[in-house]
Amino acid sequence: DVKVTQSSRYLVKRTGEKVFLECVQDMDHENMFWYRQDPGLGLRLIYFSYDVKMKEKGDIPEGYSVSREKKERFSLILESASTNQTSMYLCASSFDRPSPLHFGNGTRLTVT
Amino acid sequence: RKEVEQDPGPFNVPEGATVAFNCTYSNSASQSFFWYRQDCRKEPKLLMSVYSSGNEDGRFTAQLNRASQYISLLIRDSKLSDSATYLCVVNKDYKLSFGAGTTVTVRA
């Protein structure tokens, strides 16, 4: 069974801090994704990666960056956290495009 | 206009009832369609793909209507464990668009 692990379940950070969200998958998937989920808005794609060291912007990349140095690990970075980045962040991976996506259990980030 | 729209519900139904709900999408060139299920405070998980001819998976039936640009999900003989939020997902050119979800609550 595919396992996607996000490093933190809950995080509280202050405005202006640099924040790292880590995601690791154990199924040798090529594709990895970062989404945020907000009430009434659904999941929105922040960044994705189809290969090591490769990244592409999703629908809402502003204020975020990513890193994929190894195939199994995809990191989301908030360069300077802001209160409007308070959200649930979901990492996902997939063997094929576009589906099925295997999600991690999420990181609920609060920026104060 | 949102790319994918869903009635947020909640749909409150008794055990054993049938519940059905739709999802509309705006891009007529969309290529494939899915339903994901998300339990409270959990991650989404793929429930089923939606095929042009319609498909069933146990008590769940999915339909696609390309002419009217909607997909539907029907749950027969509802169980308490079916209580969840159901996310509609539409793919075009490998870009997935998610609806905000329809919440179903099954009561004893």
Side-chain angles (χ1 to χ4, degrees):
Chain A
D1 205 17
V2 177
K3 193 166 175 69
V4 179
T5 303
Q6 294 184 229
S7 53
S8 304
R9 189 80 175 100
Y10 298 96
L11 272 180
V12 180
K13 297 292 182 180
R14 293 192 181 277
T15 302
E17 278 193 82
K18 190 168 186 176
V19 182
F20 293 87
L21 302 183
E22 305 286 347
C23 175
V24 177
Q25 50 95 3
D26 67 357
M27 280 301 291
D28 203 34
H29 284 173
E30 301 287 341
N31 312 303
M32 297 190 75
F33 309 82
W34 275 107
Y35 289 89
R36 62 178 282 176
Q37 185 174 29
D38 300 287
L41 295 179
L43 275 76
R44 293 179 291 166
L45 181 63
I46 304 171
Y47 267 96
F48 57 99
S49 169
Y50 293 138
D51 202 354
V52 175
K53 295 191 186 294
M54 175 271 180
K55 59 187 178 186
E56 286 198 31
K57 294 180 180 178
D59 298 319
I60 51 164
E62 296 79 19
Y64 303 94
S65 62
V66 290
S67 172
R68 194 165 180 201
E69 296 295 318
K70 293 185 178 181
K71 191 175 186 179
E72 67 271 19
R73 186 180 297 270
F74 192 36
S75 303
L76 180 69
I77 302 152
L78 287 66
E79 297 290 342
S80 177
S82 63
T83 55
N84 63 11
Q85 292 178 311
T86 291
S87 186
M88 170 66 82
Y89 289 87
L90 289 159
C91 174
S93 73
S94 71
F95 175 72
D96 202 355
R97 295 163 64 186
S99 189
L101 292 176
H102 299 270
F103 285 90
N105 60 0
T107 296
R108 183 163 293 282
L109 172 67
T110 302
V111 182
T112 62
Chain B
R1 183 183 172 189
K2 289 183 180 178
E3 292 186 51
V4 180
E5 297 207 56
Q6 296 184 249
D7 181 345
F11 288 71
N12 294 309
V13 300
E15 265 187 301
T18 295
V19 59
F21 42 90
N22 294 339
C23 158
T24 59
Y25 59 94
S26 61
N27 193 329
S28 60
S30 297
Q31 294 146 330
S32 53
F33 309 87
F34 310 91
W35 284 105
Y36 277 69
R37 171 198 170 120
Q38 186 171 24
D39 294 327
C40 188
R41 303 187 205 286
K42 299 278 192 173
E43 71 275 19
K45 293 185 179 179
L46 179 67
L47 178 66
M48 58 198 301
S49 302
V50 186
Y51 303 123
S52 296
S53 55
N55 49 300
E56 274 189 28
D57 183 1
R59 296 180 293 106
F60 296 82
T61 301
Q63 298 274 2
L64 166 64
N65 186 317
R66 283 194 183 273
S68 300
Q69 293 181 210
Y70 73 87
I71 66 173
S72 63
L73 183 66
L74 182 145
I75 307 173
R76 283 187 302 278
D77 189 22
S78 299
K79 311 292 185 191
L80 294 176
S81 57
D82 294 334
S83 296
T85 297
Y86 293 86
L87 307 179
C88 170
V89 182
V90 176
N91 164 58
K92 182 183 179 306
D93 298 336
Y94 302 126
K95 179 182 183 296
L96 295 181
S97 298
F98 284 77
T102 296
T103 298
V104 173
T105 302
V106 182
R107 63 182 188 274

